[in-house]
Every structure is written in structure tokens, then in C-alpha cells.
């Protein structure tokens, strides 16, 4: 038995220390009880409070996921029309020969820019496996085209880099115990986790006397559990309310002028905008009330309370920023944090939407560089993005992948994509405009998907390669974003059926593509090497064997981590990483972009598909698509325990439901010009009137009339991005009728 295996008292049972590697922002230590190569029980972390990292319902259902009867177990090739889902079993030799043959054919006929590599959010584990293995292989094969832009948080990333020059804008979660007021602005950690211990510390902070306010169109689970007050707000209008809060502070001299003078740049320009000196419109609470639906009295009181309660943590997340002017939301939140002197202060917050701390953060744990991609070398840069976020123009925005396939060079894209190789994503389902995505996948000459399940996207494949789950391999798994700890998932099972990891698939393909020395190490050697080569692990992991054996290394911190503490305590020695060295409320780099939708100071602006769009006559409801509590996006969709937990239904306010003769539980159609879905209605006052909520991730399943019976919300969303690069899923107008 290997050292990381604990003996069980039960005959034939071993207990293996592991974690899942889902893309949920948590990373929970698990003890997997294994008998006859099957997980028979999942136990959570055995550390005591407050260190315990308690797993949620998804890890509790881990064995149903790993051993699901629908897992793909052998390679298959398409036999019916594309998208119909008819496949035939083939051997690995035939499968890999086919993929190698197609790659060689496209390279020879069209060049390497005809190859698209689609990697995704799934499988947050070491960087030698998953999409990274394929990227390294294809770089050596002469290159490939891929996407740019983070679908999760590009608005927040843009905002944080503009304002602070850094994406490490979070505090370790226990610092919330030092807060007197916590504003959950589009943040619902009871559901979306955001670090395994986030909700635990929100509850502790509440018990400690902090007042908690939730600002969200939905009365979400966190609000229902801990909030003193819920302020419903129309989607996409938060920046207007924040600007009005700034107006209240300026008018009543409640802002921290000394802090602004010392640490920031451009407050004068922001003031000119807020007070109406710039455009003749003073951004009063009454002005914001008309836009947002939040009462002017409430905005005034909120501004006063936030400005006078110290320290206060404004927790703005990424959901509101996944919208047509997403970056303005996070930038304006950060500006309020500076106006109240809460940046760099324990119990405060810098906002910026990312909440990450630099200890144990997934971004800092890269190891095996994929190597230069020849297709991208010397390419011009994408115009219109901030210089630090400059991307080579040979790439395609994440929310435009399928548009690029459909339109190609004639649509202004860098190449004509002929084949796609995909892993760790279900983008047909998860990027916007699924109907267009389906058309795009049908247009490809060849599509190969490495998958665990026959997902909505996998149905369109020509070739399906079955991959192992995290339980079937050993790996360094990576928490995001709260830390402070490092995790190791030991191998609990031998690969099921004929499954192989993405890395094994890439390695076997390398031989066929005559690429030498692609995989010279064993799994154990790779993992040890990555720990040895990475300064982040080296700083903390002194005993590799102990780390592996225990499956976790918890970093002991003398005090909570507070973003920008150094910059505030000693600004001369520690300037911010912006060009001016200050918090840039006015950004010259943003000004240089000369893009009206990305102004140099944070501003509220109207956008297509908000309530001011005439389209509202036809499609009167604003659609939100947050992340589901019973899945990770579309992953775990088939797990019965999780399906039972929460049926997939559309949240509809009683006011909107009655106006359309819809009763709770009725089947409804939700539609716009992009598509139509069928789904059950949940009539509930937990969502404000005028807004409808459908969790993302249900599998797209169009019927013969093109109605998506699976209720995939991206059948309705728009494949566009904001000035700063945010995917705009939460800016979407729809109509609803009884089916
Ligand atoms: N409407 C709307 N859409 C959204 C969002 C939203 O808020 N609203 N959020 C967006 C966000 S933030 C994200 S991150 C994306 C996520 O988008 P995706 O990354 O496409 O989402 P998943 O559904 O997690 O798909 C991951 C797939 O990878 C497979 N997989 C798991 N492990 C492995 C592995 O080891 N190897 C291989 N080859 N495959 C594996 C899973 O079976 C699953 O099918 O969705 C986005 N889509
Ligand atoms: N259970 C579970 N957890 C997950 C994931 C998952 O799929 N399942 N996915 C993970 C991933 S990859 C990511 S990126 C994160 C995403 O985490 P977030 O981006 O924080 O999550 P969302 O669910 O999109 O939105 C958060 C909240 O914002 C609200 N909201 C949306 N639009 C607006 C608005 O205009 N104004 C205001 N005030 N509120 C608004 C929503 O109602 C929701 O309550 O979650 C991670 N955690
Ligand atoms: Mo994400």
C-alpha cells in the first residue's frame, strides 16, 4: 500500500486522501474510501474549527459522479449526422491515428492556424495535464489558434489591473471578523463558494456583530441565511447606485479626503463627473433611483452607513461584471473603497471583484510552460484592450469562439478554423448563443472532444476520447482564491474502463506526430518536479512526502492577509503597480484606448439590452444566469442526488407570473431573437419584478422545432463582450409565455 493510503478497519477497504478538482473556487480535502476500485464513501476534512475546510453537497456526491453509469468508457467515432449523438466504439489505436491524421491533414492543407484548441475552466489541477498538455503538444506541432479573455472575470481583472495594477485584491476570509459592515454586492458565497471557507467566515462575522447587507436582484441563499437587509436592484445598474453613493459622500463631506490625496490619482475628474460638472447631470440618489429601481432614500442611507461605519467590507463579485459594462461595476466599487479609506485596512476591502490572496492562489502555481505558439509569434496586438491585458491578435475572444468558426477571416477573425480539439470545457453550452455554437460545430471539418460524459457539446463530435476523473490520477490540485493552503489529490482508483488522462492522450499522440521527449517522466516524477520548480510551493512545502501523504499543506498566518497593506503603510517604499504608483481612479492607460465604452474614470452608461433599449417592448424581462448550487456549470448535470436537490426552473416574480397567467410549476417558454427554451417556472418573491433567473449549466437539447428542451440559458444569451473584455451573459432581454 502506498504511503498516502490509510488502512481502514474494514476488510479490503483503503482510504485515500484526495480532493476534487472542480472549478467552483473551493478545494476541499476528501478522504475517499475505496473497495474493489470503487469509491464507497466520501469523508470530509477532519481538521477542527476554524481550520476545517468543509465540503459541500457536490463533493458529497463525488462518488455518484465518478461512477456514473453514463461515464464514457471507450473511444468512439460518429456514425450518424453531426449533433445527433450516434457513435460507434473504436480502439484507441484507431482513435489516435484518426486524430493525428486530421491534425496532419489540416496542417498540410491550411496551415496550423486552421487548428483551434479549446481548453476550459474544468479540472483545476496541475499544469502538466488537461488543456496544458495539449497546448504544449500543439506548440511543438507548429502552433494553433486559441481564445483570449477569462469568461469568469475579465471585467474584474480589467478593473483591478486598471485601478491597482494587481489582481491580488482580496483579504483572507477570516479578516471579515474585523468588519463592522459587510456589503454583499452580487456575492452569494453560500452557493458559489469563492474559497471553501468563505461562507463559514461570513457567518462568523455576523455572529461577531457585523451588519450584513445584500444588494442583488435575487434574495439569494447567503442573504436568506445572514443578511440584515436585502436591497433588490435592477441588473446592470449597480454602477449608477455607486456613483450616487459617491455623490452623497461628496455633498456631505463624508469621504476620506486625506486618504484620497495620499494614495489616489484622479478623484477630481471623478468628482466632476459625479457632481455633473462634466455633463450637466448631477448623479443624485434620485437620478440613480430611476435607473436602478432602488429608492433614493435607501441609496442615501446606504451611502451614509458605508461612509461612516469603519471598517467596512464592500464585497463586489464577478456576476454583475459579466455584463455589457462589467468593468465599470468593479472599478466603481474600488473607487468607493478608496473614498472611504477601506483599502489596505483590516476589516475593510479593496473590492475589484477577484477576492484572491497570493498564498496558495491557483494563478501562482504554474509550472510547465507550454512553450511558444508559432502561430502567435510576432502577431499584432488586439486593439482596444488595456496595455497590460494586450493579447495577440491571432486569438479569438472567449465569447466569440463559435462566431469565429462561422465567420472566419471574412468576419475579421485571424484565421479560418477547420478543426477543433476540445477538453475541459462544454463551450457550446457555456459560452453565449448555443444555437450559433451548434451551427459552428456542424460546420467544422473535424471535431474531437476529450470528455467524461456525452455532453451537449460532445454530441457534435466526430471523435470522442474518454478521460479519467480526478479520482483516477494523482495531481496537484489548486484552490482559488481564498487560500491559504495547498492540496494534493492522491490517486484513489485505477482508470475506469479504457479512460486515459488528457496528458496520456497527448503523450500517445506525440509519438504519432513524431514529437520527441514529450513525456519523459512518470506521474510521480512530474508532480515532484512541479513542486520543486515552483517558487510558490518552494516557499511553503518543505516536506514533499508529508504534503503528499496528508493531501494538504495549511499555511499558518500570523495575521489575516490584507490586500495592499504594504502600499498603505509605506507608500514610498511600496507604490501600487500602476504607472503612477497610485490607485488610479483616473487611468491614463484607459484614456489612451480612446474607447467611449471604457472611459478613464468609472461611469454608468446605458448599453444594448438594458432597460433603456427599445427592444424592451418586445422582450420586457432582464435575464440573469448565475452559477448553479447543484452543479459546477454543466458538470455533474447527470448526478441524481444533485438533480433532486434543486430542480432546474426559472425564477419568476409573482407580479410577472400573474400578468402572464403563469402558475408555480407551469411549463413556460423563455425566448428572444437568439432562441427559445422550455423550462418549469418557480414563482417566487425571492426575485424582483422585471427580472428572471435561470441558472447556467443545464444541457442544451434542441427539439425538431429548435426549442431547447434542456433549458440551457445560453440559448438566449448574447455572444458579445464589453469594452474591457467581459463576457456579457447577464445583459440579456427575454420574453416569457406559458407553454
Ligand atoms: N449564462 C452564463 N454562462 C456562463 C456563466 C454565467 O455566469 N452565465 N459563467 C461562465 C463561467 S464563469 C465559466 S468558468 C464557464 C465554464 O465553462 P466550461 O469550462 O465549459 O464549463 P463546464 O460545464 O465546467 O465544462 C467542463 C467540461 O469539462 C469536462 N471535464 C472535467 N474534467 C475534465 C478533464 O480532466 N479532462 C477533460 N478533457 N474534460 C474534463 C466536464 O465533463 C465538462 O463537460 O461557463 C460560463 N458560462
Ligand atoms: N456551486 C457552484 N459554485 C461555483 C460555480 C458553479 O458553477 N457552481 N462556478 C465557479 C466559477 S467558475 C465562477 S467564475 C464563480 C462565479 O461567481 P459569481 O460571478 O459571483 O457568480 P454568479 O452566480 O454569476 O453571480 C453572483 C451573484 O450576482 C448576482 N447578479 C447578477 N447580475 C447582477 C447585477 O447586475 N447586479 C447585482 N447586484 N447582482 C447581480 C446574481 O444574482 C448572483 O447572486 O463561481 C464559482 N463557484
Ligand atoms: Mo468561472
Amino acid at each position: 500500500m502506498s504511503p498516502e493510503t490509510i488502512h481502514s478497519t474494514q476488510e479490503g477497504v483503503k482510504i485515500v486522501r484526495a480532493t476534487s478538482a472542480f472549478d467552483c473556487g473551493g478545494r476541499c480535502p476528501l478522504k475517499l474510501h475505496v473497495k474493489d476500485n470503487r469509491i464507497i464513501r466520501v469523508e470530509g476534512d477532519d481538521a477542527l474549527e476554524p481550520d476545517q475546510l468543509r465540503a459541500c453537497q457536490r463533493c458529497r456526491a463525488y462518488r455518484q459522479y465518478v461512477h456514473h453509469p453514463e461515464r464514457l468508457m471507450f473511444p468512439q467515432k460518429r456514425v450518424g449526422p453531426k449533433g445527433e449523438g450516434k457513435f460507434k466504439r473504436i480502439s484507441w489505436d484507431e482513435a489516435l491515428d484518426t486524430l493525428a491524421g486530421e491534425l496532419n491533414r489540416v496542417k498540410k492543407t491550411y496551415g496550423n492556424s486552421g487548428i483551434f484548441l479549446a481548453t476550459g475552466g474544468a479540472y483545476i489541477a496541475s499544469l502538466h495535464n488537461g488543456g496544458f498538455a495539449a497546448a504544449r503538444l500543439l506548440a511543438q506541432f507548429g502552433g494553433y489558434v486559441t481564445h483570449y479573455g477569462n469568461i469568469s472575470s475579465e471585467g474584474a481583472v480589467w478593473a483591478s489591473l486598471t485601478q491597482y495594477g494587481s489582481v491580488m485584491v482580496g483579504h483572507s476570509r477570516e479578516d471579515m471578523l474585523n468588519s463592522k459592515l459587510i456589503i454583499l454586492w452580487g456575492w452569494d458565497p453560500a452557493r458559489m463558494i469563492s474559497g471553501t471557507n468563505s461562507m463559514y467566515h461570513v457567518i462568523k462575522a455576523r455572529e461577531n456583530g457585523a451588519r450584513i447587507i445584500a444588494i442583488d436582484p435575487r434574495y439569494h441563499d447567503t442573504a436568506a441565511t445572514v443578511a440584515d437587509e436585502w436591497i433588490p436592484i435592477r441588473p446592470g445598474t449597480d454602477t449608477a447606485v455607486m456613483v450616487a453613493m459617491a455623490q452623497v459622500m461628496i455633498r456631505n463631506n463624508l469621504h476620506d479626503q486625506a486618504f484620497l490625496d495620499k494614495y489616489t490619482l484622479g478623484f477630481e475628474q471623478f468628482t466632476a463627473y459625479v457632481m455633473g460638472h462634466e455633463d450637466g447631470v448631477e448623479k443624485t440618489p434620485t437620478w440613480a433611483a430611476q435607473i436602478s429601481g432602488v429608492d433614493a432614500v435607501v441609496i442615501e442611507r446606504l451611502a451614509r452607513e458605508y461612509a461612516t461605519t469603519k471598517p467596512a467590507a464592500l464585497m463586489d463579485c464577478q456576476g454583475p461584471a459579466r455584463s455589457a459594462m462589467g468593468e465599470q461595476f468593479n472599478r466603481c466599487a474600488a473607487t468607493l473603497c478608496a473614498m472611504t479609506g477601506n483599502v489596505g485596512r483590516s476589516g475593510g476591502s479593496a473590492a475589484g471583484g477577484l477576492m484572491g490572496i497570493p498564498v496558495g492562489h491557483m494563478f501562482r502555481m504554474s509550472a510547465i510552460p507550454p512553450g511558444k505558439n508559432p502561430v502567435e509569434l510576432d502577431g499584432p496586438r488586439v486593439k482596444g484592450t488595456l496595455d497590460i491585458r494586450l493579447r495577440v491578435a491571432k486569438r479569438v475572444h472567449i465569447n466569440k469562439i463559435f462566431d469565429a468558426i462561422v465567420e472566419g477571416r471574412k468576419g475579421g477573425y485571424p484565421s479560418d478554423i477547420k478543426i477543433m480539439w476540445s477538453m475541459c470545457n462544454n463551450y457550446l453550452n457555456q459560452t453565449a448563443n448555443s444555437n450559433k455554437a451548434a451551427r459552428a460545430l456542424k460546420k467544422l471539418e473535424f471535431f474531437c472532444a476529450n470528455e467524461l460524459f456525452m455532453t451537449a457539446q460532445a454530441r457534435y463530435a466526430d471523435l470522442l476520447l474518454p478521460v479519467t476523473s480526478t479520482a483516477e490520477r494523482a495531481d496537484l490540485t489548486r484552490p482559488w482564491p481564498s487560500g491559504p493552503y495547498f492540496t494534493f489529490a492522491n490517486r484513489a482508483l485505477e482508470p475506469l474502463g479504457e479512460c486515459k488522462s488528457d496528458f496520456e492522450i497527448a503523450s500517445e499522440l506525440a509519438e504519432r506526430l513524431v514529437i520527441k521527449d514529450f513525456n519523459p517522466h512518470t506521474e510521480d516524477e512530474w508532480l515532484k518536479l512541479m513542486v520543486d520548480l515552483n517558487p510558490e510551493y518552494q516557499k511553503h512545502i518543505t516536506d514533499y512526502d508529508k504534503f503528499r501523504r496528508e493531501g494538504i499543506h495549511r499555511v499558518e498566518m500570523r495575521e489575516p492577509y490584507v490586500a495592499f497593506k504594504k502600499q498603505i503603510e509605506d507608500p514610498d517604499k511600496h507604490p501600487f503597480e500602476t504607472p503612477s504608483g497610485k490607485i488610479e481612479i483616473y487611468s491614463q492607460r484607459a484614456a489612451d484606448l480612446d474607447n467611449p465604452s471604457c472611459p478613464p474614470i468609472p461611469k454608468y452608461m446605458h448599453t444594448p439590452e438594458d432597460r433603456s433599449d427599445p427592444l424592451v417592448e418586445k422582450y420586457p424581462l432582464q435575464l440573469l444566469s448565475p452559477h448553479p448550487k447543484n452543479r459546477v456549470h454543466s458538470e455533474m448535470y447527470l448526478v441524481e442526488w444533485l438533480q433532486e436537490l434543486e430542480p432546474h426552473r426559472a425564477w419568476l416574480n409573482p407580479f410577472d407570473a400573474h400578468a402572464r397567467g403563469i402558475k408555480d410549476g407551469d411549463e413556460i417558454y423563455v425566448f428572444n431573437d437568439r432562441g427559445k427554451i422550455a423550462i418549469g417556472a418557480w414563482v417566487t418573491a425571492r426575485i424582483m419584478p422585471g427580472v428572471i433567473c435561470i441558472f447556467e449549466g443545464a444541457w442544451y437539447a434542441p427539439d425538431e422545432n429548435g426549442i431547447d428542451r434542456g433549458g440551457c440559458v445560453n440559448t438566449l444569451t448574447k455572444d458579445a463582450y464589453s469594452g474591457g473584455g467581459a463576457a456579457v451573459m447577464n445583459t440579456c432581454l427575454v420574453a416569457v409565455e406559458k407553454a
Side-chain angles (χ1 to χ4, degrees):
M1 221 170 248
S2 46
E4 61 276 6
T5 303
I6 311 161
H7 290 271
S8 164
T9 47
Q10 240 184 305
E11 181 103 16
V13 174
K14 63 177 183 174
I15 304 174
V16 181
R17 289 195 185 265
T19 73
S20 68
F22 295 126
D23 181 24
C24 64
R27 195 56 67 237
C28 307
L30 303 175
K31 287 198 285 179
L32 302 178
H33 296 233
V34 176
K35 189 175 184 181
D36 301 331
N37 213 36
R38 277 189 82 81
I39 301 170
I40 55 165
R41 188 176 163 209
V42 177
E43 249 188 297
D45 189 14
D46 45 15
L48 300 177
E49 281 192 78
D51 295 331
Q52 190 185 85
L53 295 160
R54 190 173 296 184
C56 80
Q57 62 274 15
R58 290 182 302 281
C59 276
R60 307 266 170 198
Y62 193 54
R63 76 186 164 93
Q64 261 206 3
Y65 163 79
V66 170
H67 295 292
H68 199 281
E70 305 262 322
R71 274 276 307 270
L72 300 175
M73 285 293 153
F74 39 77
Q76 300 177 64
K77 72 172 179 196
R78 176 172 63 83
V79 287
K82 285 189 186 202
E84 202 180 85
K86 286 217 178 80
F87 288 87
K88 176 174 163 252
R89 180 174 186 167
I90 55 172
S91 70
W92 268 111
D93 271 339
E94 184 183 342
L96 292 166
D97 287 347
T98 306
L99 179 54
E102 284 296 316
L103 289 168
N104 278 322
R105 178 184 68 79
V106 169
K107 178 179 175 154
K108 211 167 125 211
T109 322
Y110 308 103
N112 283 68
S113 69
I115 302 170
F116 193 90
L117 174 64
T119 65
Y123 192 48
I124 302 296
S126 77
L127 301 179
H128 78 303
N129 210 329
F132 296 94
R136 188 159 66 89
L137 178 76
L138 290 182
Q140 292 181 44
F141 181 63
Y144 57 95
V145 177
T146 191
H147 74 258
Y148 75 89
N150 184 330
I151 195 164
S152 315
S153 56
E154 199 63 19
V157 168
W158 197 93
S160 293
L161 290 178
T162 306
Q163 195 103 352
Y164 296 118
S166 165
V167 291
M168 292 297 157
V169 293
H171 295 200
S172 50
R173 298 293 183 265
E174 70 275 20
D175 191 46
M176 282 188 287
L177 272 87
N178 298 317
S179 304
K180 293 217 173 64
L181 170 69
I182 300 174
I183 303 178
L184 313 171
W185 207 316
W187 193 43
D188 175 19
R191 171 185 50 91
M192 67 69 77
I193 308 299
S194 198
T196 299
N197 54 8
S198 296
M199 190 56 192
Y200 172 81
H201 286 297
V202 174
I203 293 169
K204 285 281 166 202
R206 172 71 207 275
E207 287 171 0
N208 210 30
R211 207 172 107 76
I212 299 186
I213 301 174
I215 307 179
D216 203 295
R218 300 182 313 119
Y219 186 60
H220 51 61
D221 291 358
T222 310
T225 318
V226 294
D228 295 278
E229 184 177 359
W230 170 43
I231 302 178
I233 186 168
R234 289 180 187 149
T237 66
D238 307 84
T239 308
V241 170
M242 289 184 197
V243 168
M245 285 169 70
Q247 192 269 356
V248 173
M249 290 183 208
I250 296 168
R251 181 166 33 86
N252 297 288
N253 204 18
L254 296 173
H255 56 293
D256 188 338
Q257 191 64 49
F259 185 97
L260 290 163
D261 290 343
K262 192 164 176 192
Y263 301 108
T264 73
L265 185 84
F267 184 61
E268 304 71 33
Q269 285 96 322
F270 184 62
T271 303
Y273 162 70
V274 170
M275 302 313 282
H277 307 148
E278 188 191 293
D279 57 2
V281 181
E282 190 173 357
K283 314 300 178 303
T284 60
T286 308
W287 167 83
Q290 280 163 1
I291 296 167
S292 64
V294 183
D295 203 288
V297 176
V298 173
I299 299 175
E300 172 101 23
R301 176 169 53 74
L302 182 66
R304 287 177 181 275
E305 184 173 357
Y306 178 56
T308 55
T309 314
K310 305 224 166 148
L314 198 171
M315 309 297 278
D316 60 328
C317 205
Q318 301 150 23
R322 218 169 287 114
S323 66
M325 49 155 205
E327 51 280 345
Q328 303 306 317
F329 166 72
N330 296 121
R331 272 202 85 198
C332 206
T335 302
L336 289 185
C337 295
M339 286 180 71
T340 51
N342 274 302
V343 179
R345 177 173 188 170
S346 179
S349 142
L354 293 160
M355 299 190 187
I357 68 165
V359 188
H361 194 289
M362 61 180 272
F363 284 2
R364 301 164 76 94
M365 272 124 74
S366 54
I368 308 295
K372 287 228 157 59
N373 176 0
V375 165
E376 291 180 351
L377 285 181
D378 306 321
R381 302 273 145 179
V382 173
K383 279 210 198 100
T385 50
L386 201 65
D387 55 357
I388 12 182
R389 294 298 280 170
L390 275 184
R391 313 306 187 123
V392 281
K394 298 278 166 74
R395 290 194 177 190
V396 175
H397 187 272
I398 176 85
N399 213 18
K400 286 286 190 186
I401 294 174
F402 297 106
D403 197 56
I405 295 173
V406 172
E407 302 295 336
R409 281 200 176 94
K410 71 171 175 28
Y413 291 100
S415 70
D416 292 318
I417 296 162
K418 301 292 176 183
I419 72 173
M420 177 157 128
W421 183 19
S422 138
M423 60 221 58
C424 303
N425 73 80
N426 187 11
Y427 282 154
L428 165 129
N429 216 82
Q430 293 305 117
T431 61
N433 203 341
S434 301
N435 284 330
K436 190 191 278 182
R439 288 200 300 278
L441 289 177
K442 281 185 185 159
K443 187 187 173 210
L444 287 172
E445 288 182 10
F446 183 75
F447 172 36
C448 172
N450 296 10
E451 251 302 345
L452 283 86
F453 291 94
M454 182 74 77
T455 61
Q457 175 168 274
R459 293 173 71 85
Y460 291 81
D462 296 288
L463 183 66
L464 269 176
L465 304 180
V467 295
T468 49
S469 72
T470 316
E472 295 148 67
R473 53 207 186 212
D475 219 331
L476 297 157
T477 54
R478 301 180 293 149
W480 66 273
S482 68
Y485 59 97
F486 297 82
T487 51
F488 192 111
N490 287 290
R491 182 191 283 239
L493 306 173
E494 291 312 310
L496 300 177
E498 292 184 10
C499 293
K500 293 179 193 285
S501 71
D502 298 297
F503 188 38
E504 284 171 296
I505 294 170
S507 305
E508 293 186 25
L509 204 60
E511 287 169 25
R512 286 167 168 83
L513 298 174
V514 209
I515 290 164
K516 295 217 164 43
D517 294 328
F518 185 74
N519 183 3
H521 307 295
T522 63
E523 184 176 74
D524 275 351
E525 286 165 354
W526 275 110
L527 298 179
K528 174 97 174 45
L529 192 72
M530 283 194 290
V531 170
D532 287 346
L533 288 178
N534 187 302
E536 215 43 48
Y537 283 108
Q538 285 304 302
K539 219 188 292 171
H540 297 282
I541 311 283
T542 48
D543 184 343
Y544 175 81
D545 289 329
K546 181 166 179 282
F547 172 46
R548 195 179 88 161
R549 194 167 58 240
E550 295 182 353
I552 184 161
H553 174 77
R554 296 173 218 259
V555 179
E556 274 185 43
M557 305 221 291
R558 264 173 279 128
E559 52 183 31
Y561 178 83
V562 172
F564 308 121
K565 191 161 183 265
K566 280 190 317 203
Q567 284 82 348
I568 297 302
E569 279 173 1
D570 190 350
D572 294 332
K573 212 155 138 224
H574 299 286
F576 284 87
E577 290 170 51
T578 52
S580 64
K582 305 246 182 187
I583 297 171
E584 296 196 350
I585 297 172
Y586 180 93
S587 162
Q588 188 56 46
R589 288 176 301 170
D592 292 344
L593 296 176
D594 199 21
N595 177 351
S597 73
C598 243
I601 50 165
K603 282 187 178 174
Y604 172 75
M605 289 162 291
H606 287 299
T607 69
E609 296 203 37
D610 71 9
R611 257 172 224 264
S612 70
D613 189 332
L615 197 65
V616 90
E617 296 291 319
K618 200 170 162 200
Y619 302 123
L621 298 177
Q622 289 184 282
L623 172 69
L624 289 186
S625 48
H627 295 215
K629 78 168 152 209
N630 52 349
R631 298 185 293 272
V632 182
H633 314 297
S634 73
E635 243 186 315
M636 312 190 95
Y637 175 70
L638 297 174
V639 175
E640 290 82 358
W641 287 344
L642 295 175
Q643 284 181 348
E644 227 175 87
L645 190 73
E646 189 172 81
H648 183 58
R649 290 199 291 180
W651 297 31
L652 201 58
N653 184 275
F655 176 83
D656 294 317
H658 296 159
R660 292 165 178 80
I662 294 166
K663 288 195 294 300
D664 188 47
D666 281 353
E667 169 112 323
I668 58 172
Y669 291 132
V670 187
F671 56 97
N672 59 20
D673 290 342
R674 289 176 289 269
K676 184 172 192 173
I677 70 171
I679 187 170
W682 185 38
V683 178
T684 173
R686 286 183 62 177
I687 188 155
M688 67 189 288
V691 185
I692 176 171
C693 164
I694 299 171
F695 289 111
E696 52 108 316
W699 288 10
Y700 172 74
D703 67 13
E704 61 284 359
N705 300 315
I707 300 172
D708 172 11
R709 298 275 158 194
C712 171
V713 75
N714 284 319
T715 302
L716 304 164
T717 57
K718 186 173 181 182
D719 52 333
Y721 54 93
S722 72
V728 305
M729 276 84 169
N730 283 325
T731 308
C732 180
L733 292 176
V734 295
V736 168
E737 65 186 20
K738 204 166 167 221

